Amino acid sequence: MSDTSNLRYADVTLLYVEDEASTREQVSRILTLRGYRLITRVNGQSGLDAYREHRPDIVLTDIMMPQMNGLEMVRRIRAMDPEAQVVCMTAFSETNYLIEAIDVGINQFVPKPVDLSRLLAALDHCLEIIELKKRHGMLEAETQKTRKLEAIGILAGGMAHDFNNLLQVILGYVSLARMCADPDSKTAELLGIAEKSFDNARQLGKRLLTLAKGGDAILELTHLPPLIIAGIEAELRGTSTSCVTDLPADLPPVRIDAAQFRHVISHLTINAREAMPQGGTLQVSASLCSLAAINEQALDPGDYLHIIFKDSGVGIAPENLPRIFDPYFTTKEMGSQKGMGLGLAISHSVLRHHRGQIQAESKPGEGTAFHIYLPLSQTNN
Ligand code: ADP
Ligand code: MG
């Protein structure tokens, strides 16, 4: 397996179908030693049944076998799963099957008697294809998510604009009404309450605008560690949550809007604190990384600052994970102190407007890690 592959052999289920006992034993031993999770079957029919039951990652099969030959088995597997990875072992006497084998879409051939290094290389190649498809799927999902959030952002921005205008009119009339009312009257008191709510509504309008456009970003080369530490301390002071940071002093500065980025730090710190109601430790680290042409972050290739916010809190249920960046998605009860499901949506928007990315990984009961990527601009060098 290449160094870039993340799959471990132990994570790969390999179905091996071979009728000849001595070959089966010898090859099985090697595959088990290599670390594969191995399932063996002795003919096409039992191989097909095993495929249905276990959905292996790779199928390795002989061609000539009793009951159902390897090609028929692969044809039926392909009908179920067109993406199945199949390696076929063929003796020279079976080359008349080759055209048919290509027809059913066998990915690779290994001649018999089996050269083990050739067999292992063929299987490694299948793994690389599986890995590439997996990454492509993640990239696709990330791009979809960003498109969806941008569309929601545009809608929110339009609404926020109209919302602010309407608020302005309402406030104007409320102020006029207050001027007309006796200052000591119940009416004046009620109008005062309405004015206070106006402030909250204006804050909401501002948040929606940040979500839509990232506000009017003022980008400046900024040394991040002090900004991060100050942001975290402000949110954790007087709480039972502590913080451990690993922020190397020699990290290059990045071009950001410090005020907006401070919001991201606040939201992530508050979320971590709320995820650890009994107290706990928030770990924050930063390092440099290079992203390749195709990357799971759906970012342009290049050098990035990679910041991780990791807590040991309640974690996020797998069914919620794809939704946490959606505006108004929250699992917390609505209230004055609790947020309203905008923290991560705004953070995502801010990062996108910095040509960066924010992603989450989480295990329920174990904790959550947020990964932030900020591009290092050419002018940093
Ligand atoms: P809010 O905090 O107002 O609910 P956010 O946008 O900040 O809104 O977060 C959305 C949801 O994502 C939260 O309600 C919570 O379910 C989940 N979440 C965010 N951060 C964490 C975290 N560190 N640990 C567990 N869940 C989290
Ligand atoms: Mg929040």
Side-chain angles (χ1 to χ4, degrees):
M1 214 176 307
S2 74
D3 291 345
T4 51
S5 178
N6 290 324
L7 283 170
R8 291 177 311 122
Y9 293 112
D11 296 330
V12 179
T13 306
L14 176 57
L15 170 63
Y16 173 34
V17 190
E18 168 68 74
D19 62 321
E20 196 196 53
S22 61
T23 310
R24 195 173 59 240
E25 271 162 36
Q26 190 205 8
V27 173
S28 294
R29 202 170 308 134
I30 299 296
L31 295 176
T32 310
L33 269 178
R34 183 76 152 180
Y36 284 109
R37 270 198 315 242
L38 189 65
I39 301 165
T40 53
R41 291 293 185 272
V42 296
N43 61 51
Q45 184 58 59
S46 58
L48 186 62
D49 294 342
Y51 189 89
R52 277 205 191 95
E53 189 183 342
H54 299 283
R55 293 287 163 154
D57 301 292
I58 304 176
V59 178
L60 171 65
T61 183
D62 187 20
I63 289 187
M64 294 297 283
M65 290 183 294
Q67 284 197 38
M68 183 192 291
N69 76 28
L71 292 182
E72 185 52 30
M73 176 188 80
V74 174
R75 197 190 310 280
R76 295 193 193 188
I77 286 176
R78 278 286 156 113
M80 266 188 282
D81 181 2
E83 303 279 302
Q85 290 294 310
V86 184
V87 178
C88 207
M89 297 197 286
T90 45
F92 282 118
S93 59
E94 295 165 355
T95 44
N96 49 329
Y97 286 101
L98 269 182
I99 299 286
E100 197 185 340
I102 291 168
D103 214 33
V104 297
I106 304 276
N107 299 80
Q108 293 190 76
F109 299 92
V110 179
K112 273 181 159 184
V114 178
D115 171 345
L116 287 175
S117 60
R118 214 161 155 176
L119 171 63
L120 293 178
L123 294 173
D124 277 358
H125 188 67
C126 285
L127 290 181
E128 276 163 22
I129 292 171
I130 293 170
E131 181 85 339
L132 269 177
K133 284 188 175 163
K134 203 172 92 189
R135 286 195 198 173
H136 189 259
M138 289 167 111
L139 175 65
E140 192 78 11
E142 195 56 54
T143 310
Q144 290 265 357
K145 184 183 88 186
T146 300
R147 281 209 196 110
K148 182 182 79 176
L149 291 180
E150 276 168 4
I152 296 173
I154 290 168
L155 182 70
M159 280 174 61
H161 185 72
D162 293 343
F163 180 70
N164 279 346
N165 286 346
L166 287 171
L167 273 182
Q168 212 55 54
V169 176
I170 296 170
L171 181 76
Y173 282 108
V174 167
S175 305
L176 270 178
R178 216 147 93 93
M179 281 162 68
C180 300
D182 177 352
D184 298 325
S185 67
K186 185 76 185 162
T187 309
E189 188 191 327
L190 294 176
L191 289 171
I193 297 171
E195 278 171 347
K196 275 200 191 116
S197 287
F198 175 81
D199 275 344
N200 292 338
R202 196 166 45 184
Q203 285 298 330
L204 174 61
K206 259 193 185 166
R207 282 188 198 172
L208 290 177
L209 277 177
T210 314
L211 185 66
K213 301 193 293 168
D216 297 321
I218 304 161
L219 300 183
E220 275 172 330
L221 266 188
T222 311
H223 191 49
L224 272 185
L227 187 85
I228 296 177
I229 290 169
I232 295 171
E233 276 176 357
E235 300 301 344
L236 294 187
R237 200 168 297 128
T239 72
S240 53
T241 305
S242 56
C243 182
V244 177
T245 55
D246 178 10
L247 304 166
D250 57 354
L251 285 175
V254 276
R255 196 166 285 283
I256 57 160
D257 181 311
Q260 287 188 9
F261 199 71
R262 179 77 183 252
H263 281 305
V264 175
I265 294 163
S266 297
H267 288 308
L268 294 183
T269 310
I270 293 169
N271 281 346
R273 191 184 73 203
E274 290 174 346
M276 300 187 288
Q278 317 300 331
T281 306
L282 169 65
Q283 288 172 280
V284 180
S285 61
S287 58
L288 298 180
C289 75
S290 283
L291 295 182
I294 297 177
N295 53 70
E296 289 158 23
Q297 292 74 22
L299 287 171
D300 292 336
D303 294 330
Y304 287 80
L305 191 64
H306 178 196
I307 306 162
I308 305 175
F309 272 67
K310 187 172 187 300
D311 64 58
S312 52
V314 292
I316 301 170
E319 66 272 21
N320 288 341
L321 204 50
R323 303 176 59 201
I324 57 170
F325 293 101
D326 291 356
Y328 294 109
F329 176 81
T330 181
T331 55
K332 299 164 192 173
E333 87 246 27
M334 295 283 200
S336 53
Q337 177 254 334
K338 300 287 181 191
M340 46 197 328
L342 283 179
L344 290 181
I346 287 174
S347 301
H348 190 273
S349 169
V350 168
L351 263 304
R352 290 307 292 172
H353 287 104
H354 283 78
R355 307 181 80 79
Q357 185 60 284
I358 177 167
Q359 293 178 317
E361 55 172 339
S362 184
K363 281 210 179 118
E366 287 184 27
T368 304
F370 283 92
H371 296 261
I372 291 175
Y373 298 86
L374 279 171
L376 295 183
S377 59
Q378 302 297 324
T379 42
N380 289 340
N381 303 323

